[in-house]
Amino acid sequence: MTDVSSAPSRRFGPSAMLSWAVTIACNVVLPFVTYNQLTGAGWSDFSALVASGVWPVVDVVIYLIWHRRVDEFAVLTLIFLVLTIAVTGVGPHSARLLLVKDSLITGLFGVVCLISLATPRPLMFYLGRKFGTDGSANAVAHWNGLWRHESFRRTMTLITTVWGLGYVVEAIARVGLSYALSTGAMVAVNSVLAYGVPALLIAWTITHSKRARAKGHAEATVSAAEAAATAV
């Protein structure tokens, strides 16, 4: 974590801002607008979801042309869009089951996070690279190089674990509440959870990352001082 602040990129430069604008537009705004417009025009939920899934594909293509590599964030969006379509298209379309569907999607994300802990690099390493760099070759190489630091590996592992457990617990709570509350009440609760849980997880991640970075700097200072004393 000692090298994070010295990254060779400007995360909020014009290139990064444009990249994020395209990502947000194609993965959040346009799918939402497309879905609402089509369902308002009489399309089924399933058909509208399939049609709105064109936009994340557009984002992948734009990113691939621009950066000559695949964007993990867009790919993840595509994966969960496919899962959403699969869950929506299977089984009876009751209001309660549609509420449970949301729980299954967020729960699957939590499970994917936990499963990724068994892979060479956990999921949050890749999402962190998306959020922590401007996508340039130098910035990506710098981020990849941070993996050699044990403190950085611990931080990525802990963040992935917390997000995984957080979304698994949230999914279990949603399923239980979906059958305990009325549909109207659960729609309100769903809205709170949809924004509240990620807000809490993001706030914790930022706080923990800052503490880990400060600890890394302190450890580096001590190590440098000890090395200088030994040299003398």
Side-chain angles (χ1 to χ4, degrees):
M1 296 297 291
T2 59
D3 294 337
V4 172
S5 62
S6 61
S9 63
R10 295 285 184 181
R11 280 186 285 175
F12 301 105
S15 177
M17 294 296 289
L18 180 58
S19 177
W20 271 110
V22 172
T23 296
I24 292 172
C26 290
N27 289 279
V28 180
V29 179
L30 291 174
F32 178 78
V33 171
T34 301
Y35 176 82
N36 283 325
Q37 289 293 321
L38 293 179
T39 52
W43 288 44
S44 68
D45 287 343
F46 183 80
S47 299
L49 278 171
V50 172
S52 63
V54 170
W55 294 112
V57 176
V58 171
D59 184 35
V60 171
V61 173
I62 292 174
Y63 197 93
L64 182 60
I65 294 173
W66 189 353
H67 297 284
R68 297 294 190 273
R69 68 181 181 83
V70 176
D71 177 24
E72 295 87 357
F73 181 79
V75 171
L76 187 66
T77 300
L78 280 175
I79 291 172
F80 282 97
L81 177 66
V82 170
L83 290 173
T84 301
I85 292 172
V87 173
T88 302
V90 174
H93 293 175
S94 71
R96 197 172 299 279
L97 285 179
L98 285 176
L99 291 172
V100 172
K101 174 206 69 177
D102 294 332
S103 308
L104 294 177
I105 300 303
T106 56
L108 281 171
F109 176 74
V111 171
V112 169
C113 284
L114 297 177
I115 291 175
S116 75
L117 295 172
T119 63
R121 297 183 184 185
L123 180 61
M124 286 302 163
F125 170 85
Y126 299 103
L127 294 186
R129 188 170 66 187
K130 170 66 179 180
F131 286 89
T133 74
D134 63 2
S136 66
N138 287 341
V140 170
H142 177 84
W143 182 268
N144 291 341
L146 292 174
W147 189 252
R148 70 180 182 273
H149 299 293
E150 182 181 354
S151 59
F152 182 80
R153 295 195 298 271
R154 286 200 308 266
T155 298
M156 289 296 103
T157 299
L158 178 60
I159 291 174
T160 304
T161 302
V162 170
W163 278 71
L165 291 176
Y167 269 110
V168 168
V169 171
E170 184 253 15
I172 294 173
R174 276 202 199 197
V175 171
L177 291 173
S178 294
Y179 288 95
L181 301 177
S182 66
T183 301
M186 192 56 206
V187 168
V189 170
N190 254 2
S191 299
V192 173
L193 290 176
Y195 293 98
V197 171
L200 288 174
L201 289 172
I202 290 171
W204 174 85
T205 299
I206 293 173
T207 301
H208 178 75
S209 297
K210 288 181 177 179
R211 290 176 179 173
R213 187 179 299 116
K215 182 179 179 181
H217 280 304
E219 291 175 351
T221 301
V222 171
S223 298
E226 291 176 348
T230 302
V232 172

